[in-house]
């Protein structure tokens, strides 16, 4: 089956087990949130390292890359690294301009940074380019803009 998955999804599949490890660490972060900050932070860094490994070993055509980029941005938001999170969301928009995730993530980051007008502009661009309007509307509804 492994070779079939590589054929079906591309060479990036060979590194996907690192994404699975990252997801385990992200779940551990939730359980550790109030208990041990050092262990929580270590899990976050390990998750980020594993996500970056998959991204470094996949091309923009890799089927799961948009999901992995979105997970990276969400993780960086949780780590309060809004600069890197914004860069990741921008990368997601560049690589998948018709997908909703990058626009919503970037708008969320901009709202958190107090840049409401910039967030509105990002969402307007998404209104124009995103092809799955229903999914985009649901995701867009999570952004609280005053």
């Amino acid at each position: 089956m492994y070779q079939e998955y590589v054929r079906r999804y591309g060479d990036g599949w060979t590194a996907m087990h690192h994404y699975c490890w990252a997801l385990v660490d992200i779940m551990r972060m939730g359980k550790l949130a109030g208990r041990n900050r050092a262990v929580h932070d270590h899990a976050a860094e390990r998750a980020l390292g594993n996500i970056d490994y998959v991204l470094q070993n996949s091309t923009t055509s890799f089927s799961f890359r948009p999901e992995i980029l979105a997970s990276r941005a969400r993780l960086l938001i949780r780590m309060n690294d809004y600069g890197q999170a914004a860069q990741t969301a921008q990368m997601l928009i560049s690589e998948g301009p018709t997908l909703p995730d990058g626009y919503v993530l970037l708008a969320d980051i901009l709202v958190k940074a107090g840049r409401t007008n910039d967030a509105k502009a990002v969402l307007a661009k998404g209104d124009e380019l995103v092809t799955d309007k229903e999914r985009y509307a649901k995701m867009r509804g999570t952004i609280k803009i005053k």
Side-chain angles (χ1 to χ4, degrees):
M1 284 305 294
Y2 176 78
Q3 289 303 322
E4 170 59 22
Y5 289 141
V6 171
R7 186 194 64 71
R8 185 181 304 166
Y9 301 117
D11 287 336
W13 182 261
T14 61
M16 273 299 280
H17 59 285
H18 285 270
Y19 183 57
C20 296
W21 293 340
L23 293 176
V24 168
D25 280 322
I26 290 168
M27 287 186 281
R28 286 182 178 146
M29 285 172 58
K31 291 185 178 204
L32 298 169
R35 292 192 219 157
N36 186 326
R37 190 65 191 180
V39 175
H40 171 275
D41 292 350
H42 181 68
E45 289 296 331
R46 196 171 47 227
L48 186 59
N50 278 309
I51 287 171
D52 286 346
Y53 182 85
V54 179
L55 293 171
Q56 290 163 3
N57 288 284
S58 65
T59 64
T60 58
S61 64
F62 181 48
S63 304
F64 295 96
R65 191 171 169 93
E67 178 184 335
I68 295 166
L69 284 168
S71 292
R72 185 179 197 276
R74 284 188 208 95
L75 174 60
L76 289 163
I77 290 168
R78 285 179 68 180
M79 295 170 71
N80 297 316
D81 189 340
Y82 297 116
Q84 275 197 70
Q87 288 175 352
T88 302
Q90 293 271 17
M91 185 184 302
L92 180 51
I93 291 168
S94 295
E95 291 183 16
T98 62
L99 302 173
D101 306 65
Y103 299 101
V104 173
L105 286 164
L106 184 55
D108 183 43
I109 295 162
L110 292 168
V111 167
K112 285 178 166 81
R115 296 173 52 193
T116 306
N117 288 337
D118 292 335
K120 288 178 182 177
V122 167
L123 292 173
K125 185 91 168 164
D127 290 340
E128 179 185 327
L129 297 175
V130 169
T131 53
D132 187 343
K133 302 294 186 190
E134 184 179 340
R135 182 167 179 256
Y136 183 60
K138 287 178 185 176
M139 292 178 75
R140 196 178 194 276
T142 65
I143 304 298
K144 308 295 183 229
I145 295 182
K146 297 175 185 179

